[in-house]
Amino acid sequence: MKKTIPVIGMACASCSANIERKLNSLDGINSASVSLAGRSALVDYDPDKISLETMKKEINGIGYDLVIDSGTSVETIRKQEYTLLKRRTILSWILSVVGMCINMHWVKIGGDSFTNQMAMLIALANMYFCGRSFYSSTVKQIRHGAANMDTLVALSTSIAFLFSAYNTLFGDQSLTYFDSCGMIITFVLTGRMLEEKAKDGTATSIRQLMGMAPKTAHIVDEDGNVQEVPIKTIDVGDVLEVRPGEKVPVDGEVISAESFMTPDAAYVDESMITGEPTPAKKQKGSKVLAGTIPSQGKFRMRARQVGENTALAHIIKMVQEAEGSKAPVQRIVDKAALIFVPVVGILAIITFFAWIIIGGTDKLPQAIISAVTVLVIACPCAMGLATPTALMVGIGKAADKHVLIKDATALERLRKVNALVTDKTGTLTIPNKNIDFTKADNLPLEERETLKPNAREAMEELESHGIEVWMMSGDKEDAANYWADKAGIKHFKAKCVPSDKEELVRKLKSEGKTVAMIGDGINDTQALALADVSIAIGTGTDVAMDVAQVTLMTDDLKAIPYSINLSKKTVKMIWENLFWAFIYNIVCIPLAAGILYLFFADPPIKLTPMWGSALMAMSSVSVVLNSLRLKLVK
């Protein structure tokens, strides 16, 4: 059983890696993939061996939480968390500014000793009221032999505070860094707040899809009375009434309809599902889908699929699972994140002793501050966010265009496609209804079927980008030739059986090509399963859609070149994000260790913990903002 579970409390790549490692270690879980950007875990588990409550308890033990209560609104929880984070950030800014004014002696309160003691109390208040979660999380992490960004923040602020407190009470009163303690917490909280706000922008597609789901329905009882009830009370077989402008509550079948245009039919806007702008005519026996809206007329329907079984629920689930999946490169980043924090700790220790060796005990303050800055500035957040944020935006952008991508691997492969094999009937063309097939041989070809909108434009665009397009048809040679020419396709094969499609895919792959196959029927499933990227038409059979990695919920075939272009842009964005995340650490860690001090000692040029925390926060935010540029892809 697969389930997407919201996760609370993640701050960096180490967090998601630790949760993923913990879940995968539990008996009964087949596989688990945790998305930092999606703030969720995609878990494949055996409910007979492990319960959601057991998972929650295990994850609580390492300092995080799973939202398993279906009655709890995840969006509400996240809004509450964001509000609390915002309040803590504002309070931290107030305390830090006041503490800095006192610590820098911009505000004089008695003698140096009393001034330092006031700065110490303000820093302690900041650490307790605003940064308490860093320390509680660190304790839980250490108990389980793990570490994350909170560990680095807790270590750096604790070291700076204890060193400053010792000097305030027993040593040199001029060597205190209470302002740095406060500002580290302030900048980290500010970064997380900005990051959360930016990450909300990457999840807009899911929110839009969920917003399509109605909350209530009008149920018709046995006496014909109509009353409004919550959507969760609807059962299969219930009779419902849907009025103009209301959302269809569940999937079902029309039993009666009427409108001022047609006495026995209503017209439903299905563009949010299919992308088709023209309202669909619905009569007795017609299927209707949850989330669609009658634009003219009203109808009564019998519920056939409810709750998680509706088409809209399946789409939401598919997008959620896709956004929670991981590209191959992310697996490498996750492994790196698990060892990153311990490595940073070692680098901080090396930095400390390097300064002591260079300058002796006279350089003790510099040794401590440089070590603290290394702990603060080296954060795996940017690396952890580099891949999932770009994937979330890319997959969400595709969903906005009625293209459902099953997982990150499919999105990554799309960019490599240089050969496309397409079925004809139902894929490139639409069969005409109400045809007397006994006379089909004598009818003009434009009357057996019609070319789909933008089909020719889509095929020509693919060809212009160097993608070799093949059309496979069971038709006679002259009919196949006609439709290939009509669609602008140079290569085609007639009189094809399913094995012919499979053989062509196999042949193209043997030539070293990355092959995409698009089809809509059972006869296409062999070729779909063999292709590098399989694409199904949403109006096709369930078998074809089950096999496919990409599903087009629209008849506009320009969605294919759009998806390939989006794949290229997304993967390019991932590598850009990773490049800058790694460059950030390569450049900033030596700066934090004090390398500039060796060349510019008089006057000294060095990076303080305060500015190190600011740079760290901004690096994470910049990765998310960079990923949001994918929303501009056309």
Side-chain angles (χ1 to χ4, degrees):
M1 177 177 181
K2 276 189 177 182
K3 190 173 182 66
T4 301
I5 309 171
V7 182
I8 294 175
M10 290 193 293
C12 67
S14 295
C15 296
S16 58
N18 285 331
I19 296 170
E20 189 172 295
R21 181 172 61 174
K22 184 66 176 178
L23 286 171
N24 282 313
S25 71
L26 301 178
D27 186 39
I29 292 182
N30 303 319
S31 65
S33 175
V34 180
S35 169
L36 174 61
R39 293 168 288 189
S40 62
L42 176 59
V43 184
D44 183 358
Y45 70 103
D46 183 349
D48 294 329
K49 292 184 178 180
I50 189 169
S51 66
L52 292 174
E53 288 74 17
T54 301
M55 292 183 216
K56 181 182 176 73
K57 183 179 178 181
E58 292 289 338
I59 297 305
N60 284 344
I62 58 172
Y64 309 98
D65 195 17
L66 300 181
V67 182
I68 61 171
D69 183 2
S70 57
T72 303
S73 170
V74 177
E75 285 302 314
T76 301
I77 291 173
R78 287 175 179 168
K79 284 179 181 177
Q80 290 172 346
E81 275 198 321
Y82 179 78
T83 301
L84 180 61
L85 177 59
K86 188 176 180 180
R87 288 173 180 169
R88 287 166 57 203
T89 304
I90 292 170
L91 177 59
S92 185
W93 269 109
I94 294 169
L95 292 172
S96 291
V97 170
V98 173
M100 180 177 287
C101 290
I102 293 172
N103 200 78
M104 301 293 289
H105 297 282
W106 295 338
V107 176
K108 198 75 172 176
I109 307 176
D112 287 349
S113 178
F114 186 71
T115 299
N116 282 348
Q117 288 171 17
M118 285 296 296
M120 179 173 67
L121 290 175
I122 291 171
L124 191 61
N126 203 341
M127 294 166 72
Y128 179 78
F129 291 109
C130 305
R132 181 169 44 191
S133 61
F134 298 131
Y135 308 101
S136 60
S137 171
T138 297
V139 171
K140 290 179 180 179
Q141 293 288 323
I142 291 173
R143 283 177 184 168
H144 291 82
N148 62 5
M149 180 56 206
D150 290 348
T151 311
L152 298 179
V153 174
L155 280 174
S156 58
T157 52
S158 297
I159 292 169
F161 180 84
L162 291 174
F163 176 69
S164 301
Y166 175 84
N167 282 329
T168 295
L169 300 174
F170 309 109
D172 186 346
Q173 303 245 353
S174 65
L175 295 176
T176 58
Y177 300 95
F178 295 120
D179 55 339
S180 290
C181 295
M183 274 300 182
I184 289 171
I185 290 171
T186 300
F187 279 128
V188 173
L189 290 176
T190 302
R192 286 191 182 177
M193 188 181 75
L194 294 173
E195 191 181 301
E196 287 300 310
K197 194 70 176 175
K199 277 195 290 188
D200 272 345
T202 66
T204 52
S205 60
I206 284 290
R207 278 201 296 273
Q208 287 170 353
L209 287 169
M210 288 180 168
M212 287 163 57
K215 304 294 185 292
T216 60
H218 289 103
I219 192 168
V220 183
D221 62 22
E222 294 178 355
D223 299 323
N225 299 315
V226 181
Q227 66 180 79
E228 190 173 14
V229 297
I231 194 73
K232 62 184 179 182
T233 64
I234 302 300
D235 291 321
V236 173
D238 285 345
V239 175
L240 310 170
E241 183 172 280
V242 186
R243 300 161 183 172
E246 293 181 348
K247 291 178 179 177
V248 177
V250 296
D251 293 358
E253 183 180 312
V254 175
I255 55 178
S256 67
E258 60 176 301
S259 68
F260 71 88
M261 293 179 64
T262 312
D264 63 346
Y267 294 85
V268 178
D269 179 1
E270 296 183 325
S271 60
M272 61 284 297
I273 300 291
T274 65
E276 299 301 323
T278 307
K281 186 178 181 180
K282 300 295 180 181
Q283 297 173 290
K284 183 179 180 180
S286 298
K287 291 182 180 180
V288 285
L289 301 175
T292 57
I293 302 172
S295 54
Q296 290 179 13
K298 66 177 182 178
F299 58 86
R300 288 190 174 181
M301 59 176 286
R302 194 173 301 280
R304 295 301 186 198
Q305 303 288 342
V306 301
E308 294 183 353
N309 295 318
T310 66
L312 178 59
H314 282 303
I315 291 171
I316 292 172
K317 184 179 179 183
M318 182 181 287
V319 176
Q320 283 179 325
E321 290 183 358
E323 291 185 345
S325 65
K326 292 190 175 182
V329 67
Q330 182 62 28
R331 302 289 178 187
I332 301 170
V333 173
D334 286 348
K335 289 178 181 178
L338 284 173
I339 63 169
F340 192 85
V341 174
V343 167
V344 170
I346 293 169
L347 289 174
I349 293 170
I350 291 172
T351 299
F352 175 82
F353 284 108
W355 277 104
I356 295 297
I357 292 168
I358 291 170
T361 55
D362 289 343
K363 291 296 183 183
L364 179 61
Q366 180 63 41
I368 291 175
I369 291 307
S370 294
V372 167
T373 308
V374 169
L375 288 174
V376 171
I377 207 168
C379 170
C381 290
M383 286 190 296
L385 290 167
T387 300
T389 50
L391 285 174
M392 280 189 69
V393 177
I395 289 170
K397 181 80 173 173
D400 290 342
K401 297 296 182 182
H402 310 286
V403 179
L404 303 182
I405 298 175
K406 188 171 284 187
D407 55 35
T409 302
L411 181 66
E412 193 174 24
R413 280 183 187 165
L414 267 169
R415 83 187 201 281
K416 299 178 181 178
V417 168
N418 52 17
L420 175 76
V421 178
T422 177
D423 174 50
K424 179 180 73 68
T425 307
T427 302
L428 281 174
T429 63
I430 306 170
N432 294 324
K433 297 178 181 178
N434 304 319
I435 291 291
D436 183 354
F437 284 98
T438 61
K439 302 177 181 178
D441 288 340
N442 299 319
L443 290 174
L445 290 171
E446 292 88 343
E447 293 184 30
R448 225 185 114 271
E449 54 195 325
T450 57
L451 201 64
K452 282 188 176 180
N454 295 323
R456 184 180 181 92
E457 291 86 343
M459 298 303 112
E460 288 178 342
E461 187 173 344
L462 290 169
E463 289 275 6
S464 70
H465 285 90
I467 298 173
E468 185 179 309
V469 181
W470 283 80
M471 186 192 83
M472 303 292 281
S473 173
D475 279 344
K476 298 175 184 176
E477 189 76 23
D478 58 341
N481 181 52
Y482 174 85
W483 287 113
D485 181 65
K486 196 85 172 173
I489 297 174
K490 298 175 183 175
H491 311 285
F492 71 92
K493 284 193 175 184
K495 298 181 181 179
C496 292
V497 295
S499 58
D500 293 328
K501 298 176 183 179
E502 180 186 3
E503 186 55 38
L504 177 61
V505 171
R506 195 182 303 278
K507 176 179 177 294
L508 291 171
K509 288 181 70 174
S510 69
E511 295 172 0
K513 290 183 169 62
T514 300
V515 183
M517 168 70 196
I518 176 169
D520 72 321
I522 294 174
N523 61 334
D524 299 316
T525 54
Q526 291 172 250
L528 285 169
L530 183 63
D532 296 296
V533 179
S534 48
I535 305 171
I537 302 295
T539 53
T541 64
D542 290 340
V543 176
M545 286 187 282
D546 286 342
V547 171
Q549 297 163 305
V550 179
T551 302
L552 305 185
M553 300 302 293
T554 175
D555 275 335
D556 187 350
L557 295 181
K558 288 191 77 173
I560 300 173
Y562 172 84
S563 300
I564 293 172
N565 181 47
L566 183 65
S567 169
K568 292 176 180 177
K569 298 278 188 183
T570 303
V571 173
K572 181 183 177 184
M573 186 68 70
I574 288 171
W575 286 110
E576 279 182 11
N577 285 345
L578 285 172
F579 173 79
W580 288 114
F582 279 107
I583 286 294
Y584 162 82
N585 281 295
I586 290 170
V587 172
C588 287
I589 289 177
L591 292 178
I595 193 168
L596 290 178
Y597 192 85
L598 298 177
F599 304 101
F600 305 98
D602 190 20
I605 297 179
K606 55 186 177 181
L607 199 61
T608 65
M610 179 178 70
W611 293 113
S613 60
L615 284 172
M616 178 272 294
M618 290 304 105
S619 70
S620 300
V621 175
S622 64
V623 164
V624 180
L625 293 177
N626 190 46
S627 297
L628 287 172
R629 289 196 299 114
L630 279 171
K631 286 180 174 285
L632 303 176
V633 172
K634 295 182 180 180

